[in-house]
Amino acid sequence: METVVIVGSGLVGKSWAMLWASAGHQVRLYDVVPEALASAPGQIKEILTLLEAKGQLRPSKLNVQEQLELISVHPDLKEALRGATYIQENTPEALEMKRNTFQLLDALLKEVGNTTAIIGSSTSTIQGSLFTNGLSVEERSIVVHPVNPPYFVNLVELIPTPGTKPEVGIRLRGLMESLGMKPVILNKELPGFALNRIQYAILNECWRLVNDGVLSVADVDTVMKEGLAPRYVFMGPLETAQLNAHGFVDYCQRYGQGINSVSQTMQEIPLMSGESCAEIDRQLQTILPDGQLPQRRAWRDENLARLASFKRELGL
Ligand SMILES: NC(=O)c1ccc[n+]([C@@H]2O[C@H](COP(=O)([O-])OP(=O)(O)OC[C@H]3O[C@@H](n4cnc5c(N)ncnc54)[C@H](O)[C@@H]3O)[C@@H](O)[C@H]2O)c1
């Protein structure tokens, strides 16, 4: 059993806590904001109770009460790190914040004599070496980037820095698999890792299509939801291509030139601001006013839970 310290108990931190507890591990929550820390267990209890009522808990040998008993709050980070085997950092996405947090973890781990705990960072876009370089924990630090919320979405990107010991990535891969996650290890650090590089390519083109007056916001989302997404739930774009011809080589022969010609017409990378940003927001507000975001997030999570259980049924 692992003793996991969650640093930062916001959206992602709470979801990580639920995930680790569902697999029977001890979870210690820490947050620099006392109110955030104090309210976290109640919020987790509320979410798990609701999921239980709907039959949408992640598969676990433990009932909700047993899972909740594994989660404790720790206002003193140093004490929380004593005996910890894994630490997941979830502070806000800013390089200085990550650097300060890793420096603090480095110092506190030294003070409590913890020389083995692995430290994962949830950062979505910042290369880990930028905040672990030169620290004594560098060789046991690694980016462990989840998709929000990790309790419901299985992909996790593991991105070792040049200073991370290879066995750390291997151990993390095993741990993540034991949680039922689907880890991928990147062979080198690059901005945005893999998921966000792909996501940003999609967002850029969606922006251009609206900006050029080709499609409305609603229609862009329909293209994705009703066109690309149904297949992508089950297979990636490369397998999709393979199936769309007599294999991938045939696909390249048939469509490679066309794909290249179309791609040449894609204009420069947009800066997402200004009048186009306001226009997309205006259209979005008529579909989903920002005031309804909390309910819509609950709806999203419920559907993700259903989808996860359907994929389990299919053995995917
Ligand atoms: N939200 C997402 O969709 C998503 C997805 C994947 C990864 N991430 C990454 O996860 C990290 C956290 O994101 P989030 O959405 O949970 O943010 P959040 O704002 O919901 O939570 C951040 C938490 O960190 C706490 N905090 C601030 N400074 C701290 C410090 N010095 N020490 C300890 N706790 C501190 C805050 O009080 C807050 O509770 C970011 O790096 C983000 O990029 C987010």
Side-chain angles (χ1 to χ4, degrees):
M1 189 209 286
E2 302 295 325
T3 299
V4 179
V5 176
I6 302 287
V7 179
S9 63
L11 287 174
V12 170
K14 283 192 281 279
S15 198
W16 271 124
M18 287 160 48
L19 178 69
W20 282 100
S22 73
H25 300 285
Q26 291 284 348
V27 179
R28 300 173 179 172
L29 280 179
Y30 166 77
D31 199 292
V32 79
V33 178
E35 300 77 33
L37 185 60
S39 61
Q43 290 170 4
I44 290 174
K45 182 176 182 183
E46 205 175 305
I47 299 168
L48 288 181
T49 308
L50 201 66
L51 290 173
E52 186 181 38
K54 292 183 174 173
Q56 288 165 356
L57 284 173
R58 226 179 144 85
S60 173
K61 292 183 185 140
L62 307 176
N63 63 33
V64 166
Q65 189 50 39
E66 288 165 332
Q67 293 180 41
L68 290 170
E69 282 165 13
L70 289 170
I71 302 174
S72 53
V73 296
H74 293 255
D76 183 340
L77 179 57
K78 184 173 155 185
E79 285 315 306
L81 295 174
R82 222 178 268 284
T85 55
Y86 180 66
I87 300 152
Q88 181 77 35
E89 173 279 320
N90 313 279
T91 61
E93 186 75 351
L95 176 56
E96 205 182 332
M97 172 77 73
K98 301 290 183 197
R99 182 94 202 156
N100 289 342
T101 304
F102 269 73
Q103 276 169 348
L104 179 66
L105 288 170
D106 196 48
L108 294 179
L109 285 166
K110 249 184 229 155
E111 283 180 34
V112 299
N114 185 331
T115 55
T116 51
I118 292 176
I119 315 174
S121 169
S122 289
T123 179
S124 309
T125 51
I126 308 170
Q127 290 162 257
S129 56
L130 297 177
F131 53 86
T132 63
N133 186 25
L135 299 178
S136 61
V137 290
E138 181 180 9
E139 59 182 27
R140 47 187 170 122
S141 298
I142 180 168
V143 170
V144 178
H145 174 228
V147 183
N148 190 42
Y151 185 82
F152 294 113
V153 186
N154 287 336
L155 177 76
V156 59
E157 292 183 285
L158 305 178
I159 307 108
T161 73
T164 309
K165 272 193 185 162
E167 50 266 40
V168 169
I170 294 164
R171 183 159 139 65
L172 240 298
R173 185 204 282 268
L175 271 177
M176 288 296 140
E177 283 171 349
S178 75
L179 298 177
M181 301 296 272
K182 297 277 167 81
V184 294
I185 300 190
L186 275 65
N187 292 323
K188 65 175 182 180
E189 287 194 303
L190 74 176
F193 317 136
L195 180 128
N196 276 326
R197 291 181 80 89
I198 295 171
Q199 175 164 241
Y200 295 167
I202 293 171
L203 269 177
N204 283 338
E205 192 50 29
C206 292
W207 174 280
R208 291 188 202 104
L209 288 168
V210 177
N211 196 41
D212 293 351
V214 178
L215 285 178
S216 66
V217 165
D219 285 349
V220 162
D221 280 355
T222 300
V223 168
M224 196 71 204
K225 282 187 294 190
E226 304 298 336
L228 291 172
R231 290 183 303 206
Y232 285 178
V233 167
F234 302 104
M235 66 187 94
L238 297 176
E239 187 182 347
T240 298
Q242 186 188 12
L243 291 183
N244 277 353
H246 300 297
F248 191 70
V249 172
D250 182 44
Y251 184 88
C252 293
Q253 281 162 356
R254 284 177 193 230
Y255 305 116
Q257 189 60 52
I259 291 170
N260 185 268
S261 304
V262 171
S263 303
Q264 300 285 346
T265 69
M266 290 176 178
Q267 306 137 34
E268 62 194 42
I269 300 161
L271 185 63
M272 298 196 172
S273 63
E275 180 43 37
S276 291
C277 174
E279 174 54 25
I280 291 178
D281 184 52
R282 261 194 296 280
Q283 292 188 39
L284 279 173
Q285 295 306 317
T286 65
I287 304 165
L288 174 68
D290 284 352
Q292 292 174 19
L293 291 181
Q295 296 93 308
R296 189 70 169 172
R297 279 194 198 106
W299 171 87
R300 173 200 67 189
D301 290 351
E302 190 173 334
N303 285 332
L304 285 172
R306 285 202 186 126
L307 181 62
S309 97
F310 179 53
K311 286 181 79 171
R312 273 195 299 276
E313 243 174 66
L314 297 182
L316 293 170

